[in-house]
Coordinates of all heavy atoms in Angstrom, one line a residue:
Q2 N -0.1 198.4 -8.6 CA -1.3 199.3 -8.8 C -1.1 200.2 -10.0 O -2.0 200.5 -10.7 CB -1.5 200.1 -7.5 CG -2.8 200.8 -7.4 CD -3.9 199.8 -7.2 OE1 -3.8 198.6 -7.0 NE2 -5.2 200.3 -7.1
I3 N 0.1 200.6 -10.2 CA 0.4 201.6 -11.4 C -0.1 201.0 -12.7 O -0.6 201.7 -13.5 CB 1.9 201.9 -11.4 CG1 2.4 202.6 -10.2 CG2 2.3 202.6 -12.7 CD1 3.9 202.8 -10.1
F4 N 0.2 199.7 -12.9 CA -0.1 199.1 -14.2 C -1.4 198.4 -14.3 O -1.7 197.7 -15.3 CB 1.1 198.1 -14.6 CG 2.4 198.8 -14.6 CD1 3.3 198.7 -13.7 CD2 2.7 199.7 -15.7 CE1 4.5 199.3 -13.7 CE2 3.9 200.4 -15.7 CZ 4.8 200.2 -14.8
K5 N -2.3 198.5 -13.3 CA -3.6 197.8 -13.4 C -4.5 198.5 -14.4 O -5.3 197.8 -15.0 CB -4.2 197.7 -12.0 CG -3.7 196.6 -11.2 CD -4.5 196.4 -10.0 CE -4.0 195.1 -9.3 NZ -4.9 194.7 -8.2
E6 N -4.5 199.8 -14.5 CA -5.4 200.5 -15.3 C -4.9 200.6 -16.7 O -3.7 200.9 -17.0 CB -5.5 202.0 -14.8 CG -6.6 202.7 -15.4 CD -6.8 204.1 -14.7 OE1 -6.6 204.2 -13.5 OE2 -7.2 205.0 -15.5
K7 N -5.7 200.2 -17.7 CA -5.3 200.3 -19.1 C -5.8 201.6 -19.7 O -6.9 202.0 -19.5 CB -5.8 199.1 -19.9 CG -7.3 198.9 -19.9 CD -7.7 197.7 -20.7 CE -9.2 197.6 -20.6 NZ -9.7 196.4 -21.2
T8 N -4.8 202.3 -20.3 CA -5.1 203.6 -20.9 C -4.6 203.6 -22.3 O -3.7 202.8 -22.6 CB -4.5 204.7 -20.1 OG1 -3.1 204.6 -20.2 CG2 -5.0 204.8 -18.6
V9 N -5.1 204.5 -23.1 CA -4.6 204.6 -24.5 C -3.2 205.0 -24.4 O -2.3 204.5 -25.2 CB -5.5 205.7 -25.2 CG1 -4.9 206.0 -26.6 CG2 -6.9 205.2 -25.4
E10 N -2.8 206.0 -23.5 CA -1.5 206.5 -23.5 C -0.5 205.3 -23.1 O 0.6 205.2 -23.8 CB -1.4 207.6 -22.4 CG 0.0 208.2 -22.3 CD 0.1 209.3 -21.3 OE1 -0.9 209.5 -20.6 OE2 1.2 209.9 -21.2
M11 N -0.8 204.5 -22.2 CA 0.0 203.4 -21.8 C 0.2 202.4 -22.9 O 1.2 201.9 -23.2 CB -0.5 202.8 -20.5 CG 0.5 201.7 -19.9 SD 0.1 201.1 -18.3 CE 0.3 202.5 -17.3
T12 N -1.0 202.1 -23.5 CA -1.0 201.1 -24.6 C -0.1 201.7 -25.8 O 0.7 200.9 -26.4 CB -2.4 200.8 -25.1 OG1 -3.2 200.4 -24.0 CG2 -2.5 199.8 -26.2
N13 N -0.3 202.9 -26.1 CA 0.6 203.5 -27.2 C 2.0 203.4 -26.8 O 2.9 203.1 -27.7 CB 0.2 205.0 -27.4 CG -1.1 205.2 -28.0 OD1 -1.7 204.3 -28.6 ND2 -1.7 206.4 -27.9
T14 N 2.4 203.7 -25.6 CA 3.8 203.7 -25.2 C 4.4 202.3 -25.3 O 5.5 202.1 -25.8 CB 3.9 204.1 -23.7 OG1 3.5 205.5 -23.6 CG2 5.3 204.0 -23.2
I15 N 3.6 201.3 -24.9 CA 4.1 199.9 -25.1 C 4.3 199.5 -26.5 O 5.3 199.0 -26.9 CB 3.1 198.9 -24.4 CG1 3.1 199.1 -22.9 CG2 3.4 197.5 -24.8 CD1 2.0 198.4 -22.1
R16 N 3.3 199.8 -27.4 CA 3.4 199.5 -28.8 C 4.6 200.3 -29.4 O 5.4 199.7 -30.2 CB 2.1 199.8 -29.5 CG 2.2 199.3 -31.0 CD 1.3 200.0 -32.0 NE 1.5 201.4 -31.9 CZ 0.5 202.2 -32.1 NH1 -0.7 201.8 -32.3 NH2 0.7 203.5 -32.0
D17 N 4.7 201.5 -29.1 CA 5.8 202.4 -29.7 C 7.1 201.9 -29.3 O 8.1 201.9 -30.1 CB 5.6 203.8 -29.4 CG 4.3 204.4 -30.1 OD1 3.7 203.8 -31.0 OD2 3.9 205.5 -29.6
S18 N 7.3 201.5 -28.0 CA 8.5 201.0 -27.5 C 8.9 199.7 -28.2 O 10.1 199.5 -28.5 CB 8.5 200.8 -26.0 OG 8.2 202.0 -25.3
I19 N 8.0 198.8 -28.4 CA 8.3 197.6 -29.1 C 8.6 197.9 -30.6 O 9.6 197.3 -31.1 CB 7.1 196.6 -29.0 CG1 6.9 196.2 -27.5 CG2 7.3 195.4 -29.9 CD1 5.7 195.3 -27.3
Q20 N 7.9 198.8 -31.2 CA 8.2 199.2 -32.6 C 9.7 199.7 -32.7 O 10.4 199.3 -33.6 CB 7.2 200.2 -33.1 CG 7.5 200.7 -34.5 CD 7.1 199.7 -35.5 OE1 5.9 199.4 -35.6 NE2 8.0 199.2 -36.3
E21 N 10.0 200.5 -31.8 CA 11.4 201.1 -31.8 C 12.4 200.0 -31.6 O 13.5 200.0 -32.3 CB 11.5 202.1 -30.6 CG 12.9 202.8 -30.6 CD 12.9 203.8 -29.5 OE1 12.0 204.6 -29.3 OE2 14.0 203.8 -28.8
A22 N 12.2 199.0 -30.7 CA 13.1 197.9 -30.5 C 13.2 197.1 -31.7 O 14.3 196.7 -32.1 CB 12.6 197.1 -29.3
V23 N 12.1 196.8 -32.4 CA 12.1 196.0 -33.6 C 12.9 196.7 -34.7 O 13.7 196.1 -35.4 CB 10.7 195.6 -34.0 CG1 10.6 195.0 -35.4 CG2 10.0 194.7 -33.0
D24 N 12.6 197.9 -34.9 CA 13.3 198.7 -35.9 C 14.8 198.8 -35.7 O 15.5 198.9 -36.7 CB 12.7 200.1 -36.0 CG 11.3 200.2 -36.5 OD1 10.8 199.2 -37.1 OD2 10.6 201.2 -36.4
S25 N 15.2 198.7 -34.4 CA 16.6 198.8 -34.1 C 17.3 197.5 -33.9 O 18.4 197.4 -33.4 CB 16.8 199.7 -32.8 OG 16.2 201.0 -33.0
N26 N 16.5 196.4 -34.1 CA 17.0 195.0 -33.9 C 17.5 194.8 -32.5 O 18.5 194.1 -32.2 CB 18.1 194.7 -34.9 CG 17.6 194.6 -36.3 OD1 16.5 194.0 -36.6 ND2 18.3 195.2 -37.2
K27 N 16.8 195.4 -31.5 CA 17.1 195.2 -30.1 C 16.4 194.0 -29.5 O 15.3 193.6 -30.0 CB 16.7 196.4 -29.3 CG 17.6 197.7 -29.6 CD 17.2 198.8 -28.8 CE 18.0 200.1 -29.1 NZ 17.5 201.2 -28.3
K28 N 17.0 193.4 -28.6 CA 16.4 192.2 -27.9 C 15.5 192.5 -26.7 O 14.9 191.7 -26.2 CB 17.5 191.2 -27.5 CG 18.4 190.7 -28.7 CD 18.8 189.3 -28.4 CE 19.7 188.8 -29.6 NZ 18.9 188.3 -30.7
T29 N 15.5 193.8 -26.4 CA 14.6 194.3 -25.3 C 14.0 195.6 -25.7 O 14.6 196.3 -26.5 CB 15.4 194.5 -23.9 OG1 16.4 195.4 -24.1 CG2 15.9 193.2 -23.4
A30 N 12.9 195.9 -25.1 CA 12.2 197.1 -25.3 C 12.1 197.8 -24.0 O 11.6 197.2 -23.0 CB 10.8 197.0 -26.0
Q31 N 12.5 199.1 -23.9 CA 12.3 199.8 -22.7 C 10.9 200.5 -22.7 O 10.7 201.3 -23.5 CB 13.4 200.9 -22.5 CG 13.2 201.7 -21.2 CD 14.3 202.8 -21.1 OE1 15.3 202.7 -21.7 NE2 13.9 203.8 -20.3
L32 N 10.1 200.0 -21.8 CA 8.7 200.5 -21.8 C 8.5 201.8 -21.0 O 7.9 202.7 -21.5 CB 7.8 199.4 -21.3 CG 7.8 198.1 -22.0 CD1 6.8 197.1 -21.3 CD2 7.5 198.2 -23.5
F33 N 9.0 201.8 -19.8 CA 8.8 202.9 -18.9 C 10.1 203.2 -18.1 O 10.9 202.3 -17.9 CB 7.7 202.7 -17.9 CG 6.4 202.3 -18.6 CD1 6.0 201.0 -18.7 CD2 5.6 203.2 -19.2 CE1 4.8 200.6 -19.3 CE2 4.4 202.9 -19.8 CZ 4.0 201.6 -19.9
E34 N 10.2 204.4 -17.7 CA 11.3 204.8 -16.7 C 10.6 205.5 -15.6 O 9.8 206.4 -15.7 CB 12.2 205.8 -17.4 CG 13.5 206.0 -16.7 CD 14.5 206.8 -17.5 OE1 15.2 206.2 -18.3 OE2 14.5 208.0 -17.4
I35 N 10.8 205.0 -14.4 CA 10.2 205.5 -13.2 C 11.2 206.1 -12.2 O 12.2 205.6 -11.9 CB 9.5 204.3 -12.4 CG1 8.4 203.6 -13.4 CG2 8.8 204.8 -11.1 CD1 7.8 202.4 -12.8
E36 N 10.8 207.3 -11.8 CA 11.6 208.1 -10.9 C 10.8 208.2 -9.6 O 9.6 208.6 -9.7 CB 12.0 209.4 -11.4 CG 12.9 209.4 -12.6 CD 13.3 210.7 -13.2 OE1 12.9 211.8 -12.6 OE2 13.9 210.8 -14.2
I37 N 11.4 208.0 -8.5 CA 10.7 208.2 -7.2 C 11.3 209.3 -6.4 O 12.6 209.4 -6.3 CB 10.8 206.9 -6.4 CG1 10.1 205.7 -7.2 CG2 10.1 207.0 -5.0 CD1 10.3 204.4 -6.6
D38 N 10.5 210.2 -5.9 CA 11.0 211.3 -5.1 C 11.9 210.8 -3.9 O 11.5 209.9 -3.2 CB 9.9 212.2 -4.6 CG 9.2 213.0 -5.6 OD1 9.8 213.2 -6.7 OD2 8.0 213.4 -5.4
G39 N 13.0 211.5 -3.8 CA 13.9 211.1 -2.7 C 14.8 209.9 -2.9 O 15.6 209.6 -2.1
V40 N 14.7 209.3 -4.1 CA 15.5 208.2 -4.5 C 16.4 208.6 -5.7 O 15.8 209.1 -6.7 CB 14.7 207.0 -4.8 CG1 15.6 205.8 -5.3 CG2 13.8 206.5 -3.6
D41 N 17.7 208.4 -5.6 CA 18.6 208.8 -6.7 C 18.5 207.9 -7.9 O 18.9 208.3 -9.0 CB 20.0 208.8 -6.2 CG 20.2 210.0 -5.1 OD1 19.5 210.9 -5.2 OD2 21.2 209.8 -4.3
N42 N 18.0 206.7 -7.7 CA 18.0 205.8 -8.9 C 16.8 205.9 -9.7 O 15.7 206.4 -9.2 CB 18.0 204.3 -8.3 CG 19.3 204.0 -7.7 OD1 20.4 204.6 -8.0 ND2 19.3 203.1 -6.7
T43 N 16.9 205.5 -11.0 CA 15.8 205.5 -11.9 C 15.5 204.0 -12.2 O 16.4 203.2 -12.4 CB 16.1 206.2 -13.2 OG1 16.5 207.5 -12.9 CG2 14.9 206.3 -14.1
F44 N 14.3 203.6 -12.2 CA 13.9 202.2 -12.5 C 13.4 202.1 -13.9 O 12.5 202.9 -14.3 CB 12.9 201.8 -11.5 CG 13.3 201.8 -10.1 CD1 13.1 203.0 -9.3 CD2 14.1 200.8 -9.5 CE1 13.5 203.1 -8.0 CE2 14.6 200.9 -8.2 CZ 14.3 202.0 -7.4
E45 N 13.9 201.2 -14.7 CA 13.4 200.9 -16.0 C 12.6 199.7 -16.1 O 13.0 198.7 -15.5 CB 14.6 200.8 -17.0 CG 15.4 202.1 -17.1 CD 16.6 201.9 -18.1 OE1 16.8 200.8 -18.6 OE2 17.2 202.9 -18.3
I46 N 11.5 199.8 -16.8 CA 10.6 198.6 -17.0 C 10.9 198.2 -18.5 O 10.6 199.0 -19.4 CB 9.1 198.9 -16.8 CG1 8.9 199.6 -15.4 CG2 8.3 197.7 -17.0 CD1 9.2 198.7 -14.3
T47 N 11.4 197.0 -18.6 CA 11.7 196.5 -20.0 C 11.0 195.1 -20.2 O 10.7 194.4 -19.2 CB 13.2 196.4 -20.2 OG1 13.7 195.4 -19.3 CG2 13.9 197.7 -20.0
I48 N 10.9 194.7 -21.5 CA 10.5 193.4 -21.8 C 11.4 192.8 -22.8 O 12.0 193.6 -23.7 CB 9.0 193.3 -22.2 CG1 8.8 194.1 -23.5 CG2 8.1 193.7 -21.1 CD1 7.4 193.8 -24.1
S49 N 11.6 191.5 -22.8 CA 12.5 190.9 -23.8 C 11.7 190.6 -25.1 O 10.5 190.6 -25.1 CB 13.0 189.6 -23.2 OG 12.0 188.6 -23.2
S50 N 12.4 190.4 -26.1 CA 11.8 190.1 -27.4 C 10.9 188.9 -27.4 O 9.9 188.8 -28.1 CB 12.9 189.9 -28.5 OG 13.7 188.9 -28.2
K51 N 11.1 188.0 -26.5 CA 10.3 186.8 -26.3 C 8.9 187.2 -25.8 O 7.9 186.5 -26.0 CB 10.9 185.8 -25.3 CG 12.2 185.2 -25.8 CD 12.7 184.3 -24.7 CE 14.1 183.8 -25.1 NZ 14.7 183.0 -24.1
E52 N 8.8 188.3 -25.2 CA 7.5 188.8 -24.7 C 6.8 189.8 -25.6 O 5.6 190.2 -25.3 CB 7.7 189.5 -23.3 CG 8.3 188.5 -22.3 CD 8.8 189.2 -21.0 OE1 9.6 190.1 -21.1 OE2 8.3 188.8 -20.0
F53 N 7.4 190.2 -26.7 CA 6.8 191.2 -27.6 C 5.4 190.7 -28.1 O 4.5 191.5 -28.1 CB 7.7 191.4 -28.8 CG 9.0 192.2 -28.5 CD1 9.9 192.5 -29.5 CD2 9.3 192.7 -27.3 CE1 11.1 193.2 -29.3 CE2 10.4 193.4 -27.0 CZ 11.3 193.7 -28.0
S54 N 5.3 189.5 -28.5 CA 4.0 189.0 -29.1 C 2.9 189.1 -28.1 O 1.8 189.6 -28.4 CB 4.2 187.5 -29.5 OG 5.0 187.4 -30.6
I55 N 3.2 188.7 -26.8 CA 2.1 188.7 -25.8 C 1.7 190.2 -25.5 O 0.5 190.5 -25.4 CB 2.6 188.1 -24.5 CG1 2.8 186.6 -24.7 CG2 1.6 188.3 -23.3 CD1 3.6 185.9 -23.6
A56 N 2.7 191.1 -25.4 CA 2.4 192.5 -25.1 C 1.6 193.1 -26.3 O 0.6 193.8 -26.1 CB 3.7 193.3 -24.9
L57 N 2.0 192.8 -27.5 CA 1.3 193.3 -28.7 C -0.1 192.7 -28.8 O -1.1 193.5 -29.2 CB 2.1 193.1 -30.0 CG 3.3 193.9 -30.1 CD1 4.2 193.4 -31.3 CD2 3.0 195.4 -30.2
E58 N -0.3 191.5 -28.5 CA -1.7 190.9 -28.5 C -2.6 191.6 -27.5 O -3.8 191.9 -27.8 CB -1.6 189.4 -28.2 CG -1.1 188.6 -29.4 CD -0.7 187.2 -29.0 OE1 -0.9 186.7 -27.9 OE2 -0.3 186.5 -29.9
N59 N -2.0 192.0 -26.3 CA -2.8 192.7 -25.4 C -3.1 194.1 -25.9 O -4.3 194.6 -25.7 CB -2.1 192.8 -24.0 CG -2.1 191.5 -23.3 OD1 -3.1 190.8 -23.3 ND2 -1.1 191.2 -22.6
C60 N -2.1 194.8 -26.5 CA -2.4 196.1 -27.1 C -3.5 196.0 -28.1 O -4.4 196.9 -28.2 CB -1.1 196.7 -27.7 SG 0.2 197.1 -26.5
L61 N -3.4 195.0 -29.0 CA -4.4 194.9 -30.1 C -5.8 194.7 -29.5 O -6.7 195.3 -30.0 CB -4.0 193.7 -30.9 CG -4.9 193.3 -32.1 CD1 -5.0 194.5 -33.1 CD2 -4.4 192.1 -32.8
R62 N -5.9 193.9 -28.5 CA -7.2 193.7 -27.8 C -7.7 195.0 -27.3 O -8.9 195.3 -27.4 CB -7.0 192.6 -26.7 CG -8.3 192.1 -26.2 CD -8.2 190.8 -25.3 NE -6.9 190.7 -24.6 CZ -5.9 189.8 -25.0 NH1 -6.0 189.1 -26.1 NH2 -4.8 189.7 -24.2
H63 N -6.9 195.8 -26.6 CA -7.3 197.1 -26.1 C -7.8 198.0 -27.2 O -8.8 198.7 -27.1 CB -6.2 197.8 -25.3 CG -5.8 197.0 -24.1 ND1 -4.6 197.2 -23.4 CD2 -6.4 196.0 -23.4 CE1 -4.5 196.4 -22.4 NE2 -5.6 195.6 -22.4
Y64 N -7.0 198.1 -28.3 CA -7.4 199.0 -29.4 C -8.7 198.6 -30.0 O -9.6 199.4 -30.4 CB -6.3 199.0 -30.5 CG -5.1 199.8 -30.1 CD1 -3.8 199.2 -30.3 CD2 -5.1 201.1 -29.6 CE1 -2.6 199.9 -30.0 CE2 -4.0 201.7 -29.2 CZ -2.7 201.2 -29.4 OH -1.6 201.9 -29.1
E65 N -8.9 197.3 -30.1 CA -10.2 196.8 -30.6 C -11.4 197.1 -29.7 O -12.4 197.6 -30.1 CB -10.2 195.3 -30.8 CG -9.3 194.9 -32.0 CD -9.0 193.4 -32.1 OE1 -9.3 192.6 -31.1 OE2 -8.5 193.0 -33.2
E66 N -11.1 197.0 -28.4 CA -12.2 197.4 -27.4 C -12.5 198.9 -27.5 O -13.7 199.3 -27.4 CB -11.7 197.2 -26.0 CG -11.7 195.8 -25.5 CD -11.1 195.6 -24.1 OE1 -11.2 196.6 -23.3 OE2 -10.6 194.5 -23.8
W67 N -11.5 199.7 -27.8 CA -11.7 201.1 -27.9 C -12.1 201.6 -29.3 O -12.2 202.8 -29.5 CB -10.4 201.9 -27.4 CG -10.0 201.6 -26.0 CD1 -10.8 201.5 -24.9 CD2 -8.7 201.5 -25.5 NE1 -10.1 201.3 -23.8 CE2 -8.8 201.3 -24.1 CE3 -7.4 201.6 -26.1 CZ2 -7.6 201.1 -23.3 CZ3 -6.3 201.4 -25.3 CH2 -6.4 201.2 -23.9
E68 N -12.2 200.6 -30.2 CA -12.6 200.9 -31.6 C -11.7 201.9 -32.2 O -12.1 202.8 -33.0 CB -14.1 201.4 -31.6 CG -15.1 200.4 -31.1 CD -16.5 200.8 -31.2 OE1 -16.8 201.9 -31.6 OE2 -17.4 200.0 -30.7
M69 N -10.4 201.6 -32.0 CA -9.3 202.4 -32.6 C -8.7 201.6 -33.7 O -7.6 201.0 -33.6 CB -8.3 202.8 -31.5 CG -8.8 203.7 -30.4 SD -7.6 204.0 -29.1 CE -6.5 205.1 -29.9
G70 N -9.4 201.7 -34.9 CA -9.0 200.8 -36.0 C -7.6 201.0 -36.6 O -6.9 200.0 -36.9
D71 N -7.2 202.3 -36.7 CA -5.9 202.5 -37.3 C -4.8 202.0 -36.4 O -3.8 201.4 -36.8 CB -5.7 204.0 -37.5 CG -6.5 204.6 -38.7 OD1 -7.0 203.8 -39.5 OD2 -6.7 205.8 -38.7
D72 N -4.9 202.2 -35.1 CA -3.9 201.7 -34.1 C -4.0 200.2 -34.1 O -2.9 199.6 -33.9 CB -4.2 202.3 -32.7 CG -3.9 203.8 -32.7 OD1 -2.8 204.2 -32.8 OD2 -4.9 204.6 -32.6
A73 N -5.2 199.6 -34.1 CA -5.3 198.1 -34.2 C -4.6 197.6 -35.4 O -3.8 196.6 -35.3 CB -6.7 197.7 -34.1
L74 N -4.7 198.2 -36.5 CA -4.1 197.7 -37.7 C -2.6 197.8 -37.6 O -1.9 196.9 -38.0 CB -4.6 198.5 -39.0 CG -4.0 198.1 -40.3 CD1 -4.2 196.6 -40.6 CD2 -4.5 199.0 -41.4
D75 N -2.1 199.0 -37.2 CA -0.6 199.1 -37.0 C -0.1 198.1 -36.0 O 1.0 197.5 -36.3 CB -0.3 200.5 -36.5 CG -0.6 201.6 -37.5 OD1 -0.7 201.3 -38.7 OD2 -0.7 202.8 -37.0
T76 N -0.8 197.8 -35.0 CA -0.4 196.8 -34.0 C -0.4 195.4 -34.6 O 0.5 194.6 -34.4 CB -1.2 196.9 -32.7 OG1 -1.2 198.3 -32.2 CG2 -0.8 195.9 -31.7
Y77 N -1.4 195.1 -35.3 CA -1.5 193.8 -36.0 C -0.3 193.6 -36.9 O 0.3 192.5 -37.0 CB -2.8 193.7 -36.8 CG -2.9 192.5 -37.6 CD1 -3.1 191.2 -37.1 CD2 -2.7 192.6 -39.0 CE1 -3.2 190.1 -37.9 CE2 -2.7 191.4 -39.8 CZ -2.9 190.2 -39.3 OH -2.9 189.1 -40.0
L78 N 0.0 194.6 -37.7 CA 1.1 194.5 -38.7 C 2.5 194.3 -37.9 O 3.3 193.5 -38.4 CB 1.2 195.7 -39.6 CG 0.0 195.8 -40.6 CD1 0.1 197.2 -41.3 CD2 -0.1 194.7 -41.5
L79 N 2.6 195.0 -36.8 CA 3.8 194.9 -36.0 C 3.9 193.5 -35.4 O 4.9 192.8 -35.4 CB 3.9 195.9 -34.9 CG 5.1 195.9 -34.0 CD1 6.4 195.9 -34.7 CD2 5.0 197.0 -33.0
L80 N 2.8 193.0 -34.9 CA 2.7 191.6 -34.3 C 3.0 190.6 -35.4 O 3.8 189.7 -35.1 CB 1.3 191.4 -33.8 CG 1.0 190.0 -33.2 CD1 1.9 189.7 -32.0 CD2 -0.5 190.0 -32.8
K81 N 2.5 190.8 -36.6 CA 2.9 189.8 -37.7 C 4.4 189.9 -38.0 O 5.0 188.8 -38.2 CB 2.1 190.3 -38.9 CG 2.0 189.3 -40.0 CD 1.1 189.8 -41.1 CE 1.2 188.9 -42.3 NZ 0.3 189.3 -43.4
Q82 N 5.0 191.0 -37.9 CA 6.4 191.2 -38.2 C 7.2 190.5 -37.0 O 8.2 189.8 -37.3 CB 6.8 192.7 -38.2 CG 8.2 192.9 -38.5 CD 8.5 194.4 -38.5 OE1 7.6 195.3 -38.5 NE2 9.8 194.8 -38.7
V83 N 6.8 190.7 -35.8 CA 7.5 190.1 -34.7 C 7.4 188.5 -34.7 O 8.4 187.9 -34.4 CB 6.8 190.6 -33.3 CG1 7.2 189.8 -32.1 CG2 7.2 192.1 -33.1
K84 N 6.3 188.0 -35.2 CA 6.1 186.6 -35.2 C 6.8 185.9 -36.4 O 7.0 184.7 -36.3 CB 4.6 186.2 -35.3 CG 3.9 186.4 -33.9 CD 2.5 186.0 -34.0 CE 1.8 186.0 -32.7 NZ 0.4 185.5 -32.8
S85 N 7.2 186.7 -37.4 CA 7.8 186.1 -38.5 C 9.3 185.8 -38.3 O 10.0 186.2 -37.5 CB 7.7 186.9 -39.8 OG 8.3 188.2 -39.6

């Protein structure tokens, strides 16, 4: 249920996390960290570099829907970099 709703903030977080992973030559991107009240553990949501393209294509589609041209362009350029 948490990830069903697409928001600008969530989309930005995904794109920025992938950008950070690419810039650091990491094979995974940490997207989110979840803490639950009463639980001592923290849960990390990550994706592997094999999934970067799919995630960025979804981000690009969302930015286009929201008519966020600058973000769409940045995402397109990152996607091009990931695919090369």
Side-chain angles (χ1 to χ4, degrees):
Q2 196 70 2
I3 295 172
F4 298 108
K5 280 193 174 190
E6 191 174 326
K7 61 182 177 186
T8 65
V9 171
E10 181 180 6
M11 188 173 291
T12 303
N13 289 344
T14 298
I15 293 169
R16 189 208 45 219
D17 293 346
S18 297
I19 294 171
Q20 179 74 65
E21 184 179 315
V23 169
D24 291 347
S25 302
N26 293 317
K27 293 182 180 175
K28 299 212 181 279
T29 60
Q31 181 181 336
L32 303 182
F33 306 100
E34 193 171 275
I35 300 172
E36 296 179 6
I37 300 173
D38 289 338
V40 177
D41 292 336
N42 295 333
T43 306
F44 300 94
E45 293 181 355
I46 307 296
T47 62
I48 60 170
S49 73
S50 58
K51 294 176 185 177
E52 300 169 301
F53 288 176
S54 294
I55 294 168
L57 289 170
E58 287 169 358
N59 286 326
C60 290
L61 180 58
R62 194 168 26 260
H63 296 162
Y64 288 131
E65 289 171 346
E66 282 178 28
W67 299 322
E68 298 179 3
M69 297 176 68
D71 291 342
D72 293 291
L74 178 59
D75 291 342
T76 304
Y77 171 78
L78 294 173
L79 178 56
L80 178 59
K81 193 172 172 182
Q82 181 181 355
V83 164
K84 286 185 172 183
S85 64

